[in-house]
Amino acid sequence: MIEIKNVSKWFGEFQVLADVNEVVQRGQKVVICGPSGSGKSTLLRCINGLEPYQKGEIIVDGVSLSDPKTNLYKLREKLGMVFQRFELYPHMTVLRNITLAPMKVRKKSRQEAEKKAMELLDRVGIPDKAGAYPANLSGGQQQRVAIARALAMEPACMMFDEPTSALDPEMIQEVLEVMIGLAKEGMTMLVVTHEMGFAREVADEIIFMDAGRIVERGRGDEFFKNPKSQRTKDFMGQILK
Amino acid sequence: MLAYKFDWGVLWRQPYGEWLLQGLWLTIQLGALAWVIALSLGILFGTLRSVRFWPLRILGALYVEIFRNIPFLVQLFFWFYAGPMLLGKTLQFKINQISGLNYYIAIFGLGLYTASRVAEHVRAGFASIGHGQYDAVLSTGMTRLQMYWYVMIPHALRLIIPPLTTEFLTIFKNSAVAMTIGVAETTFMSYKIDEQTFHGLEATTGAMAIYLALGMTVVKLMDLIETRFRIPGLMSR
Amino acid sequence: MDAVLKNLPYLLGGFLTNLQLAAFALAGGIFLGALVGLGRISKRPWVYYPVTLYVNFLRNIPLILVIFWFFFVMPILVGKTMDPFVSAAVSFVVFEATYFGEIFRAGFQSISKDLVSAAYSTGLTYRQTAAYILVPIAVKRMLPSLITQSIITFQDTSLAYVIGLQEMVRRTTIVDGLEVRSVQLYTFVAILFFVICFVGSRISLHYEEKSRKAKVL
């Protein structure tokens, strides 16, 4: 459902993405890994139009992002995104965080939106926190709320930008569990992460990016056992220590 | 829309053009002289607010709170209309004889008002100098007074040049209020031009240009001062 | 105190005018200020440059002059002589919006880019993001500055004196002309302003303390 064709992006003189090609089918789980600055986060942001790209094309469910007539807002409804620093709205309760977009964008009624929100909170394991403010939640809880917030718009695909990188080790597992649950339910997922255990368990395809390029891609275990390029070997050596 | 014939010539036709320039000269005088008062008193009261001896701190706080919470116009009217009366009948009579009294009162009032704002910046400046400095200077045997005069005040002043620039700009803007007691500065003149010619729109627009030019000059001046007196190694620019 | 007491209703009526003018000035100024703040952080040059020009221009000019300028301009635009209150209100809204605009700008700039991205990624439009996320957070964070600026605006309403508005200062000068009890009268108006502004500044300090302790937002 997502096609990325020869996409390149520059920040001024600096090339952030170079000839990236990828196809993500519905129901697939793709994990992207690589050193910082390799363009992984930028790629995600290009897919939902948060960042522009200069060359190539990205097509989501048949709609091209290069087309000036494309309604970016409608497109973003299809793609849920979870950020490294959770980015919950600090001035709103957890419940309101989740119901804001459904009510304002989908024009759902308050009851409908809140009902759905409570279901989602239940699913991520913290229904009791509905009335709390983000500041009163632990990092792991905040991230789970962020996932619920993204799910509230019933996206066709969920994108995760290093969802556990800002978490204390004890809390990483609770978030990964939610993500694994999502994967098992058949959600299409694009995950930028260093959590290789998660990748092993869930990913259909693993992509290694470096300096804006896709250096190597492979399926599950094959990727871990036989990385083809030296760069990949070095990187995997580092993080699998 | 009223049929209005613009007459931009008022800006340079005699005598109106000259009026505006005379007004500008007065604006500069008011601002510059009041600034001297504002700096001196502001440094004084800012220092008072930062010393250890609490009665002095209260004195400083009182001054700042009073002069900050009353509109400048009200302060000016107080000094101009009620001020002389406070001095008793004989002095009052003498004072009212002084020609150009409004000029002096305007400078006095403007200085007093702005000093309260400068005092707050000075206080902030002291607060951002770490405690270490105090201890270091005192340990060389200087008295507190010497410490403030030779070290703290010069240091604090350099730190607060940006907010002081804002206050310096503001003092020229506030000088316009002096027109209400008849001081013939820029704004007064533009109003006077309107009285004579009914082209107040052009006159006030011209006055705006004058204030803009003045503002840009002040900023440039303060930039030069900041560069000249910069403290090396501090993240000032 | 007799001159004051004799004319109390008259004087207080003037004070009411100051309050009313301030209310209009704040409502309009804060609303316009939020828009100005958004304009100042806009990436679209056709928004950013005009707004920046407007802000930098007005911040260099005395408010008195702006009040005069509108007093001269509005009859020409509208076609008839203007009520000083309306003319003053418009001047204040346009003028104070620049100061509130800069306060809002500081507030907006303190919001992380990713938070805005998070909002967009759920499908919210620019308008919705600005209204539900940017403005409320900026207000919460900049509340002390907003209150301080509101107090300044209230003080500034005294300047409407120059176009003859029947506010407190003008009424005080009128009474002074009759009674010549200047010390009483001007002290009274000074105290009135002082009380309101002092209370306001304490409230602002309270919120500043609160946010310094909490640091959650």
Side-chain angles (χ1 to χ4, degrees):
Chain A
M1 66 161 286
I2 300 177
E3 288 172 62
I4 306 169
K5 296 183 186 168
N6 289 327
V7 168
S8 297
K9 178 181 169 63
W10 286 264
F11 267 139
E13 295 286 308
F14 179 64
Q15 186 164 21
V16 182
L17 294 173
D19 289 321
V20 177
N21 276 286
E22 175 64 8
V23 175
V24 181
Q25 315 274 18
R26 249 182 220 273
Q28 259 198 322
K29 337 275 178 230
V30 176
V31 167
I32 306 174
C33 61
S36 16
S38 56
K40 333 187 281 284
S41 299
T42 314
L43 183 61
L44 285 190
R45 283 173 172 69
C46 286
I47 296 174
N48 65 357
L50 288 176
E51 290 276 355
Y53 53 90
Q54 284 77 36
K55 256 182 68 182
E57 211 182 352
I58 297 182
I59 303 177
V60 176
D61 252 6
V63 175
S64 166
L65 265 92
S66 316
D67 187 351
K69 284 200 254 106
T70 303
N71 186 337
L72 277 178
Y73 302 121
K74 280 245 162 299
L75 192 141
R76 287 179 189 142
E77 292 180 44
K78 296 199 190 132
L79 301 163
M81 189 155 176
V82 175
F83 295 78
Q84 184 174 352
R85 298 211 143 75
F86 340 129
E87 307 295 351
L88 296 181
Y89 312 133
H91 60 305
M92 295 181 176
T93 61
V94 160
L95 193 65
R96 182 88 173 119
N97 258 271
I98 302 176
T99 59
L100 182 69
M103 283 174 66
K104 300 298 170 190
V105 178
R106 294 263 170 87
K107 309 279 194 254
K108 295 224 167 112
S109 75
R110 173 166 295 224
Q111 290 105 302
E112 246 188 295
E114 287 186 356
K115 186 156 161 280
K116 183 80 200 291
M118 288 309 295
E119 279 169 27
L120 288 169
L121 277 177
D122 208 33
R123 198 161 144 197
V124 301
I126 39 174
D128 49 312
K129 295 287 183 188
Y133 281 90
N136 302 328
L137 267 53
S138 73
Q141 291 169 330
Q142 287 188 52
Q143 193 63 301
R144 287 188 273 160
V145 173
I147 295 176
R149 179 176 64 176
L151 288 174
M153 291 299 282
E154 292 159 354
C157 168
M158 284 284 278
M159 302 197 292
F160 295 80
D161 187 3
E162 303 209 34
T164 56
S165 298
L167 292 176
D168 289 337
E170 321 86 76
M171 296 192 255
I172 295 181
Q173 199 49 40
E174 67 196 51
V175 174
L176 288 181
E177 268 167 25
V178 172
M179 289 167 68
I180 293 172
L182 268 180
K184 292 210 165 85
E185 287 167 15
M187 173 67 78
T188 316
M189 291 167 74
L190 206 51
V191 184
V192 172
T193 186
H194 299 303
E195 293 291 324
M196 289 299 128
F198 169 80
R200 259 212 171 93
E201 187 169 342
V202 154
D204 297 314
E205 183 177 39
I206 304 180
I207 292 176
F208 175 68
M209 275 184 80
D210 189 19
R213 274 176 206 286
I214 296 185
V215 171
E216 187 166 341
R217 66 181 94 217
R219 304 202 147 290
D221 269 349
E222 181 195 312
F223 184 86
F224 290 107
K225 291 206 196 107
N226 299 317
K228 294 200 190 73
S229 93
Q230 187 55 44
R231 191 74 194 81
T232 318
K233 286 199 184 110
D234 290 339
F235 181 73
M236 297 309 271
Q238 295 272 341
I239 60 171
L240 288 180
K241 265 207 201 14
Chain B
M1 226 171 124
L2 249 184
Y4 183 81
K5 277 179 63 185
F6 283 88
D7 178 15
W8 295 97
V10 278
L11 290 178
W12 52 80
R13 235 177 19 240
Q14 297 309 353
Y16 310 120
E18 208 178 299
W19 284 359
L20 280 176
L21 286 177
Q22 284 169 355
L24 173 60
W25 177 225
L26 257 155
T27 298
I28 294 176
Q29 285 177 55
L30 288 174
L33 294 174
W35 183 240
V36 171
I37 298 179
L39 267 184
S40 332
L41 282 182
I43 293 175
L44 174 64
F45 281 101
T47 312
L48 284 184
R49 290 205 70 177
S50 311
V51 295
R52 231 168 261 204
F53 188 49
W54 65 262
L56 284 180
R57 279 216 306 274
I58 303 252
L59 185 65
L62 231 84
Y63 174 84
V64 168
E65 289 301 326
I66 290 178
F67 284 88
R68 264 203 322 183
N69 285 308
I70 301 175
F72 177 52
L73 180 65
V74 175
Q75 291 184 29
L76 198 61
F77 277 12
F78 180 85
W79 295 124
F80 187 64
Y81 293 117
M85 290 188 182
L86 294 170
L87 300 170
K89 284 254 172 353
T90 29
L91 266 179
Q92 177 188 342
F93 189 69
K94 277 219 182 107
I95 292 238
N96 279 325
Q97 303 289 42
I98 301 178
S99 74
L101 178 66
N102 51 5
Y103 173 80
Y104 297 110
I105 292 194
I107 293 178
F108 173 69
L110 191 55
L112 229 51
Y113 171 72
T114 311
S116 70
R117 299 166 69 132
V118 171
E120 281 302 272
H121 295 311
V122 169
R123 182 168 75 106
F126 284 139
S128 71
I129 301 175
H131 260 295
Q133 275 256 311
Y134 285 91
D135 299 335
V137 177
L138 288 176
S139 71
T140 64
M142 283 203 210
T143 65
R144 289 211 118 82
L145 198 63
Q146 288 173 321
M147 168 185 79
Y148 274 109
W149 183 255
Y150 290 110
V151 181
M152 293 314 225
I153 291 177
H155 188 175
L157 282 180
R158 281 168 176 75
L159 288 176
I160 58 173
I161 289 185
L164 280 188
T165 307
T166 312
E167 290 307 332
F168 197 23
L169 280 170
T170 307
I171 220 179
F172 285 109
K173 288 190 282 176
N174 282 331
S175 70
V177 180
M179 70 152 295
T180 58
I181 55 174
V183 178
E185 51 72 63
T186 312
T187 312
F188 179 92
M189 287 305 192
S190 70
Y191 192 71
K192 194 163 158 203
I193 294 179
D194 177 68
E195 280 185 330
Q196 297 260 312
T197 68
F198 294 106
H199 284 280
L201 181 55
E202 295 88 324
T204 45
T205 310
M208 283 182 174
I210 289 181
Y211 281 105
L212 265 179
L214 191 57
M216 292 197 285
T217 313
V218 166
V219 171
K220 207 69 207 120
L221 188 68
M222 292 302 271
D223 257 354
L224 287 172
I225 292 182
E226 185 174 11
T227 315
R228 164 82 177 72
F229 289 100
R230 179 175 303 181
I231 302 178
L234 273 187
M235 307 246 314
S236 42
R237 261 289 170 99
Chain C
M1 278 300 286
D2 47 317
V4 171
L5 290 172
K6 234 167 66 178
N7 297 286
L8 203 55
Y10 183 64
L11 292 174
L12 288 183
F15 195 61
L16 192 63
T17 308
N18 288 92
L19 289 170
Q20 287 171 334
L21 185 55
F24 270 99
L26 288 176
I30 292 178
F31 179 73
L32 187 58
L35 294 178
V36 167
L38 289 172
R40 289 277 278 144
I41 57 168
S42 172
K43 296 210 178 69
R44 312 171 205 193
W46 68 87
V47 171
Y48 176 77
Y49 287 110
V51 175
T52 301
L53 210 71
Y54 156 67
V55 169
N56 287 332
F57 177 68
L58 278 178
R59 292 185 79 189
N60 270 303
I61 300 180
L63 177 53
I64 277 199
L65 194 56
V66 175
I67 294 176
F68 274 132
W69 193 85
F70 273 98
F71 191 61
F72 293 133
V73 135
M74 293 201 66
I76 299 174
L77 288 179
V78 174
K80 55 183 166 101
T81 44
M82 289 255 60
D83 177 355
F85 186 88
V86 176
S87 169
V90 172
S91 323
F92 275 99
V93 168
V94 170
F95 186 79
E96 299 291 343
T98 61
Y99 290 88
F100 283 111
E102 290 298 274
I103 293 175
F104 272 108
R105 177 168 76 104
F108 294 144
Q109 287 178 326
S110 75
I111 299 175
S112 79
K113 268 187 70 187
D114 268 356
L115 187 64
V116 180
S117 298
Y120 283 147
S121 71
T122 60
L124 291 170
T125 64
Y126 175 76
R127 222 169 275 191
Q128 291 169 327
T129 307
Y132 296 110
I133 312 292
L134 293 178
V135 171
I137 294 183
V139 168
K140 279 230 166 84
R141 287 187 184 172
M142 308 301 293
L143 197 58
S145 301
L146 288 173
I147 296 178
T148 305
Q149 188 60 40
S150 301
I151 294 169
I152 294 175
T153 303
F154 174 64
Q155 289 186 8
D156 285 345
T157 59
S158 58
L159 293 176
Y161 162 89
V162 297
I163 54 174
L165 185 64
Q166 285 280 318
E167 48 75 57
M168 183 154 198
V169 178
R170 179 151 289 272
R171 288 197 169 180
T172 308
T173 55
I174 291 174
V175 172
D176 187 42
L178 295 170
E179 312 262 0
V180 198
R181 308 292 254 130
S182 315
V183 178
Q184 279 184 30
L185 290 163
Y186 289 107
T187 308
F188 178 63
V189 63
I191 290 179
L192 223 50
F193 273 104
F194 178 81
V195 167
I196 304 257
C197 298
F198 185 71
V199 168
S201 76
R202 289 292 122 177
I203 295 178
S204 165
L205 267 175
H206 164 79
Y207 281 109
E208 207 179 310
E209 273 307 302
K210 217 170 134 195
S211 83
R212 201 196 325 221
K213 286 199 187 121
K215 268 278 169 243
V216 284
L217 227 43

